[in-house]
Structure formats: structure tokens, C-alpha cells
């Protein structure tokens, strides 16, 4: 079958997990990216692929600066959800994450971060849905030692999902129908981001008191991590 594309061949490509940040008119924004790689040594350059639909893309196009923070393996899911499943059009993400301003004027996320680098865009390639930015690194800093979070670990161990604008999005997962338990303390998992609703804890951020069964959540309740609707949850 010469020329046939087995999409599973792409699953074997390895990726990391990063927060890519930029700035426009003094406003910072950032997003999760898994496609960051060094492309040359002297001077040091990295390539970053960003969806044209994302606000960070607009910011990078405007300011020509970006920063990459390499996340540690212990990074909590809500932090990934903040940058991966919420839009800077709705919230100020950087107000919820520790960061510093780099030499390029770009915000650099320091929370859950092993190291970060920042630089200026010197070239880009139009990849259709995405732009691949070539960035000359102007500064780089190691904050702590640790194991970098890989995309495989995020998916396999943390049970994380890809955002629709990820270059590696694999389409909607097929929904299995697990047997529903008739207990009101049943936990439910978000099929989009992997957040688990635990009735014993409720959702204090969403004003849902502890002890509220999933079935009793208001119909317009949404996932506190990624904003998915109640219908996107499956019983565990
Ligand atoms: Fe979610």
C-alpha cells in the first residue's frame, strides 16, 4: 500500500509539554504547546508550532517575541488546563501563574517550570492550520532540576487529552458506556481534560458545596479546568 497514511504512525513521535508565552500591547498571554524543538546551536534557535486560532499566535505575530517554559512532570492538571483549555480571550491566564518579564519583554512562566528560554522570531513557515515560528534564543535560565513532562506521560499517566488546536489532536474519543452506579457519591471524569468531579469535595470555585452529587449539579455547570459541559463527563 504505497502512499497510504496510517495515522497511528504519528502516535510514535515523541513530544514534551511546554507553556509558550508572548505579549501584545502590554498584555501577556500563554498556551500549552507540545511542539518545541531546538533547530540549531550557534546561535541557538528553536522552532515552535502554534495554531492560528489561538490568541498567543496573534501576540507572537504582533510582537515577534515568545518564551518557552518547560514543565516538570509533577505539574498539576488544573495548571495545564489553565493554559491548555482556556482562552486568553476570556481570562487573564498570567494573573494566575507565577512569571517574570524577560529581556525581550516577554512574560516567562516560572511556576511548575524546570527552565525557560525566550527569544525573537526571525522566520516562520505557514503550515496551514499552524505557523511554525523559528526563534533565535536571547536568554535561557534553569530554575530547578527535575524530570520534564513528556506528552506521553501527560496522556498515559495523567490521562490528559489534546486540545482541539493541538497539532497532534486525534479527534473525538469514542465514548464507552461504563455501567452507571446508583450511588450519589459517584465520581465523574471530564472526557476533555481528565478533571475528576468528586461529590465529596464539590467544586468550591464554582460555588458547588461539598456533598453535591454529580446528578444534582446545575445543567449549565461546566468543568472548572477546561470549561467542558456536564454532558462531557463520564462516570468512573
Ligand atoms: Fe475538563
Amino acid at each position: 500500500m504505497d502512499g497510504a497514511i496510517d495515522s497511528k504512525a504519528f502516535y510514535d513521535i515523541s513530544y514534551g509539554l511546554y507553556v509558550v508565552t508572548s505579549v501584545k500591547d502590554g498584555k501577556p498571554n500563554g498556551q500549552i504547546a507540545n511542539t518545541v524543538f531546538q533547530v540549531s546551536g550557534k546561535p541557538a534557535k528553536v522552532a515552535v508550532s502554534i495554531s492560528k486560532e489561538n490568541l498567543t499566535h496573534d501576540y507572537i505575530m504582533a510582537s515577534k517575541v515568545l518564551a518557552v517554559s518547560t514543565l516538570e512532570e509533577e505539574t498539576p492538571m488544573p495548571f495545564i488546563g489553565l493554559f491548555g483549555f482556556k482562552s486568553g480571550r476570556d481570562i487573564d491566564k498570567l494573573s494566575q501563574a507565577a512569571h517574570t518579564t524577560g529581556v525581550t519583554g516577554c512574560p516567562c512562566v516560572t511556576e511548575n517550570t524546570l527552565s525557560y528560554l525566550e527569544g525573537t522570531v526571525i522566520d516562520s513557515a505557514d503550515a496551514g492550520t499552524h505557523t511554525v515560528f523559528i526563534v533565535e534564543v536571547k536568554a535561557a535560565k534553569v530554575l530547578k532540576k527535575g524530570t520534564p513532562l513528556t506528552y506521553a506521560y501527560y496522556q498515559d499517566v495523567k490521562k490528559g487529552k489534546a486540545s482541539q488546536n493541538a497539532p497532534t489532536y486525534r479527534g473525538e474519543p469514542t465514548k464507552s458506556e461504563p455501567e452507571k452506579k446508583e450511588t450519589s457519591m459517584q465520581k465523574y471524569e471530564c472526557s476533555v481534560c481528565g478533571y475528576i468531579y468528586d461529590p465529596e469535595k464539590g467544586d468550591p470555585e464554582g460555588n458547588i458545596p461539598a456533598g453535591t452529587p454529580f446528578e444534582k449539579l446545575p445543567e449549565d455547570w461546566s468543568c472548572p479546568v477546561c470549561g467542558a459541559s456536564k454532558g462531557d463527563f463520564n462516570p468512573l
Side-chain angles (χ1 to χ4, degrees):
M1 286 271 286
D2 281 349
I5 294 175
D6 182 347
S7 59
K8 289 194 179 64
F10 296 105
Y11 297 4
D12 292 330
I13 299 175
S14 306
Y15 301 92
L17 223 60
Y18 312 91
V19 177
V20 172
T21 41
S22 190
V23 63
K24 181 185 176 185
D25 302 330
K27 275 190 281 180
N29 193 45
Q31 63 159 85
I32 294 288
N34 61 1
T35 40
V36 174
F37 52 101
Q38 186 172 2
V39 289
S40 74
K42 284 184 179 174
K45 297 191 198 90
V46 294
V48 182
S49 180
I50 299 289
S51 168
K52 291 176 182 175
E53 304 219 331
N54 290 348
L55 187 64
T56 305
H57 186 277
D58 295 354
Y59 284 23
I60 297 169
M61 292 296 269
S63 65
K64 302 291 183 198
V65 296
L66 66 78
V68 174
S69 296
T70 301
L71 298 177
E72 60 184 342
E73 205 170 75
E74 296 79 10
T75 304
M77 285 298 281
F79 186 86
I80 298 171
L82 170 66
F83 284 102
F85 291 99
K86 292 185 178 176
S87 173
R89 294 181 181 95
D90 307 320
I91 57 160
D92 178 4
K93 299 185 196 180
L94 272 296
S95 69
Q96 299 178 45
H99 61 282
T100 184
T101 302
V103 295
T104 60
C106 188
C108 306
V109 168
T110 53
E111 194 172 341
N112 301 309
T113 295
L114 295 177
S115 57
Y116 65 84
L117 47 87
E118 56 171 319
T120 51
V121 174
I122 56 163
D123 207 347
S124 64
D126 188 335
T129 55
H130 291 66
T131 301
V132 181
F133 295 103
I134 308 293
V135 178
E136 186 171 313
V137 176
K138 299 295 182 187
K141 192 171 184 181
V142 175
L143 298 177
K144 61 170 137 173
K145 284 189 173 178
T147 307
L149 177 57
T150 64
Y151 195 58
Y153 187 89
Y154 167 71
Q155 288 196 307
D156 299 340
V157 181
K158 290 181 177 291
K159 302 296 177 197
K161 305 288 193 293
S163 152
Q164 275 193 29
N165 290 337
T168 48
Y169 181 62
R170 293 170 186 175
E172 285 296 312
T174 38
K175 279 191 181 175
S176 55
E177 290 290 334
E179 238 175 80
K180 283 184 185 174
K181 291 181 198 164
E182 287 304 317
T183 161
S184 59
M185 287 296 117
Q186 171 76 52
K187 291 178 186 174
Y188 278 72
E189 183 183 33
C190 175
S191 65
V192 177
C193 73
Y195 165 83
I196 292 166
Y197 177 77
D198 182 350
E200 284 180 20
K201 293 178 185 157
D203 170 23
E205 205 186 319
N207 292 320
I208 304 295
T212 306
F214 183 83
E215 296 78 11
K216 293 276 159 59
L217 291 171
E219 283 313 306
D220 60 355
W221 178 84
S222 60
C223 174
V225 174
C226 73
S229 66
K230 207 179 155 183
D232 291 320
F233 279 69
N234 297 313
L236 277 182

